[in-house]
Amino acid sequence: MQLVERENGGVTVLELGGRLDSNTSKVLEDKIMEILGQGKTKVLMDFKDVDYINSTGLRVLLLALQQLKKINGQLVLATIKDYMKEVFEISGYTEIFPIYPTQEEALAHFA
């Protein structure tokens, strides 16, 4: 899994790539904990280059959301491929996560 972190107007943007599964999700979990430890409360995860996600990856997203909510933070998702969006729909994640078709639209969520 590739992970690029950058800041955009007070929002921490995580651009993800590759697979988010049991072999790689610990990297994302550690990054989320690092971000929370820095006191950041606005996180956008861009899935543009993610090819696969399984239940372990979904669990990390839920953990991140729960931790951010504890500190009145927000987690927004962007650019999820259609075939992966089905996984989010089946698991009910489209009901609990704001999901936007582009990173720009997701950033506007925080404005």
Side-chain angles (χ1 to χ4, degrees):
M1 184 183 88
Q2 300 84 40
L3 191 155
V4 175
E5 177 183 357
R6 62 183 182 81
E7 294 292 318
N8 187 322
V11 177
T12 302
V13 178
L14 298 177
E15 296 177 344
L16 310 174
R19 298 171 59 91
L20 187 52
D21 57 23
S22 56
N23 293 322
T24 60
S25 58
K26 181 76 170 121
V27 173
L28 180 58
E29 184 175 346
D30 290 347
K31 177 53 76 175
I32 292 294
M33 293 303 125
E34 177 186 321
I35 289 167
L36 293 171
Q38 295 169 353
K40 298 176 182 178
T41 60
K42 297 177 181 178
V43 179
L44 185 164
M45 291 187 191
D46 190 327
F47 284 78
K48 181 178 73 166
D49 295 323
V50 175
D51 299 317
Y52 176 82
I53 189 167
N54 71 6
S55 61
T56 308
L58 292 172
R59 182 194 65 78
V60 171
L61 298 182
L62 192 56
L63 171 70
L65 180 65
Q66 291 169 338
Q67 295 300 315
L68 280 160
K69 281 189 172 185
K70 286 181 185 177
I71 57 172
N72 293 317
Q74 299 178 64
L75 174 60
V76 174
L77 310 180
T79 326
I80 299 172
K81 293 180 172 115
D82 287 340
Y83 67 88
M84 284 187 6
K85 200 165 189 180
E86 286 183 40
V87 174
F88 283 78
E89 290 167 354
I90 291 168
S91 64
Y93 278 40
T94 54
E95 301 298 320
I96 57 176
F97 288 96
I99 300 174
Y100 292 91
T102 67
Q103 188 178 124
E104 292 75 23
E105 290 174 81
L107 283 166
H109 171 92
F110 295 103

